[in-house]
Amino acid sequence: MRNMNLHRHHHGGVSFTALLFIILSVFAPLGHASSSPILSELNGPKLRHSRLFKSALQHQVSDEQLSDIWAPLSNQGWKPFVESTVTSAPMPESSGYIQVFLDGGLNQQRMGICDAVAVAKILNATLVIPYLEVNPVWQDTSSFEDIFDVDHFVNLLKDDISIIRELPDEYAWSTREYYASAIRSTRVKNAPLHASLNWYLENVYPVLESYGIAAISPFSHRLAFDNMPIEIQRLRCKVNFEALVFVPHVRNLGEALVSRLRYPIVESIDAVGTKYLRQVVDTKSGHGAGKFVSLHLRFDKDMAAHSACDFGGGKAEKLALAKYRQTIWQGRVMNSRFTDEELRNQGRCPLTPEEIGLLLAALGFDNSTRLYLASHKVYGGEARISALRQLFPYMEDKKSLASSAERAQIKGKASLSAAVDYYVSMHSDIFISASPGNMHNAMLGHRTYLNMKTIRPNMVLLGQIFMNKSMSWSDFQEAVVEGQRNRLGEIKERKPKQSIYTYPVPDCVCQQLGV
Ligand SMILES: *[C@@H]1O[C@H](CO)[C@@H](O)[C@H](O)[C@H]1NC(C)=O
Ligand SMILES: *[C@@H]1O[C@H](CO)[C@@H](O)[C@H](O)[C@H]1NC(C)=O
Ligand SMILES: *[C@@H]1O[C@H](CO)[C@@H](O)[C@H](O)[C@H]1NC(C)=O
């Protein structure tokens, strides 16, 4: 029954919801919602699950639950694949230059970089350091060199492919502007999604042969994950997990944040009443460094609008999000064909800060948990975050942990800021994301590769149980624990069509003997 419904909405053109949004946006002239104090989207959302929330505030966690949830993953019988350095065959003669222009945010561009190296290898071409396009939402103009340690990148891959930072003078004409202004024979613009190895040999190699250069754009998601030689798969892993490291200032800031999370600085008062700052060593565990969870919360307006879910901010919020959809996507947003209930049933709504707080509490995290909020901007601001902060008072972020002077180099730079979050999240004991997007996938892949714990929220189950307003805390907790079984870090092997960057087992690893 439900499937039939979905089917109808999917193909039946404009659904009731979409129609409603169109009507609303026609009758809500620009600026109206934000100028009226009563209808302001910034009035702040109310708690949507106040009964559960009240119980969560009082919930007790047993020592056994605590030690279970914090326990690191056990050895799963494999380790990262590391190639032997003995057999480095001489590099074949270069067939020409490969240039790519990468869309998306940091994590999508990261996958594009890995695929670009693989394509250069397939074609025996020389790779030009990829060009990172400015994303219209995030507006960060940082280049590859501004984000990644380019020397490390070139050096680590020197036996695999040749990489150059800039084209030689004779090809200097091959720029983004050149391709933007007219149709050019050196541009490959028809690469299909998940193109095969043969597609590149048949369609791009001839361009290299004729012109000595091929500029591929768009390039995101243009290389298949299946039916690739194992060397190419391993090269993609090597790029993603070994060759791409951030520039020193990002790593240093990340390291400072990690250290302050593990050894928090608190204000104390000594015997004679003088205040001083001290670093707390040794929390419950008695083992020195404290543990922390990194929580990725992408809940900006763009995401909220695109998901088309109702996040409890009332009529003003609905109007504001519909208006945003109208402005940015001319209202053509797939999800807005569905009702909120349908979206929740399909697990398509990102968890709100309140919901992720309830999830963490139900999983057995108590209010002494140190939480790092890996997040750019939260739509609804502090009003929306405060529910989570009430449940987890030891919640930190870049701003609370580092001074504005320390953050000066990343200020206003969404990609660099995301890079810092990536670094901190890679060093957390546990990672969890409130929405299964690019950051979630990147972390899941990278942390799996290093056998680190990552919680994968069961979005379908959570969408459904959060709709049930009559659930008691104990039923909720039971349903969560049941629904998260085998989603608390257990390894999932890659299935056909899935991304090697999200599921690096088995392609990127090898069996560990003696386990
Ligand atoms: C944690 O919760 C307990 C009740 O379960 C409460 O007594 C305590 O004050 C809370 N701690 C913090 C830091 O909020
Ligand atoms: C790339 O070089 C290798 C080794 O020289 C060769 O076997 C292969 O055919 C070349 N591939 C292309 C597309 O030229
Ligand atoms: C809500 O949850 C309760 C258990 O707490 C269950 O008995 C009830 O059937 C659920 N309602 C719906 C509509 O799923």
Side-chain angles (χ1 to χ4, degrees), residues 206-349:
V207 178
L208 289 176
E209 277 187 310
S210 307
Y211 305 99
I213 187 165
I216 314 175
S217 170
F219 185 65
S220 286
H221 309 291
R222 291 316 198 265
L223 185 63
F225 291 115
D226 300 313
N227 303 317
M228 281 290 153
I230 186 71
E231 308 82 61
I232 295 295
Q233 298 292 61
R234 287 190 168 152
L235 180 57
R236 292 163 110 177
C237 307
K238 182 176 174 184
V239 182
N240 194 24
F241 303 131
E242 315 281 351
L244 284 175
V245 303
F246 297 120
V247 289
H249 78 83
V250 165
R251 297 196 314 252
N252 292 341
L253 177 55
E255 200 44 53
L257 301 182
V258 170
S259 153
R260 289 165 204 175
L261 283 157
R262 296 215 180 279
Y263 306 102
I265 293 172
V266 297
E267 194 177 69
S268 302
I269 299 177
D270 70 11
V272 292
T274 317
K275 282 187 181 166
Y276 69 104
L277 296 175
R278 82 187 158 88
Q279 227 170 6
V280 179
V281 180
D282 185 7
T283 52
K284 282 192 220 51
S285 65
H287 295 299
K291 297 188 168 180
F292 72 97
V293 177
S294 175
L295 165 60
H296 174 244
L297 192 65
R298 180 168 172 215
F299 202 82
D300 49 21
K301 191 167 183 175
D302 191 71
M303 153 80 114
H306 199 267
S307 74
C309 303
D310 176 359
F311 297 108
K315 201 168 167 186
E317 185 173 283
K318 263 193 211 164
L319 281 171
L321 294 180
K323 198 167 78 189
Y324 187 93
R325 279 191 287 278
Q326 201 57 41
T327 313
I328 304 285
W329 305 287
Q330 291 74 51
R332 288 191 299 269
V333 171
M334 231 276 272
N335 275 10
S336 58
R337 296 174 172 200
F338 300 105
T339 64
D340 184 65
E341 191 183 339
E342 286 166 339
L343 291 171
R344 285 183 190 278
N345 264 315
Q346 300 167 55
R348 293 220 218 169
C349 300

Side-chain angles (χ1 to χ4, degrees), residues 383-440:
R384 192 155 248 140
I385 298 179
S386 73
L388 179 60
R389 196 185 299 284
Q390 274 175 281
L391 290 170
F392 297 101
Y394 300 115
M395 186 165 82
E396 308 284 357
D397 58 18
K398 289 185 274 311
K399 277 197 179 137
S400 71
L401 290 169
S403 68
S404 57
E406 288 174 300
R407 287 181 282 113
Q409 276 181 283
I410 65 163
K411 187 171 191 292
K413 305 268 186 189
S415 294
L416 287 174
S417 183
V420 171
D421 283 340
Y422 191 108
Y423 185 95
V424 175
S425 297
M426 275 309 296
H427 289 78
S428 65
D429 298 281
I430 295 171
F431 176 82
I432 184 169
S433 176
S435 56
N438 288 320
M439 173 73 168
H440 168 85

Side-chain angles (χ1 to χ4, degrees), residues 51 464-465 467-472 474-476:
R51 265 164 24 96
Q464 290 168 358
I465 59 182
M467 278 192 291
N468 186 337
K469 298 293 178 200
S470 60
M471 252 190 191
S472 66
S474 64
D475 287 344
F476 173 74

Side-chain angles (χ1 to χ4, degrees), residues 56-61 366-368 389-394:
L57 276 178
Q58 285 151 14
H59 88 295
Q60 302 281 331
V61 179
D366 69 4
N367 65 0
S368 71
R389 196 185 299 284
Q390 274 175 281
L391 290 170
F392 297 101
Y394 300 115

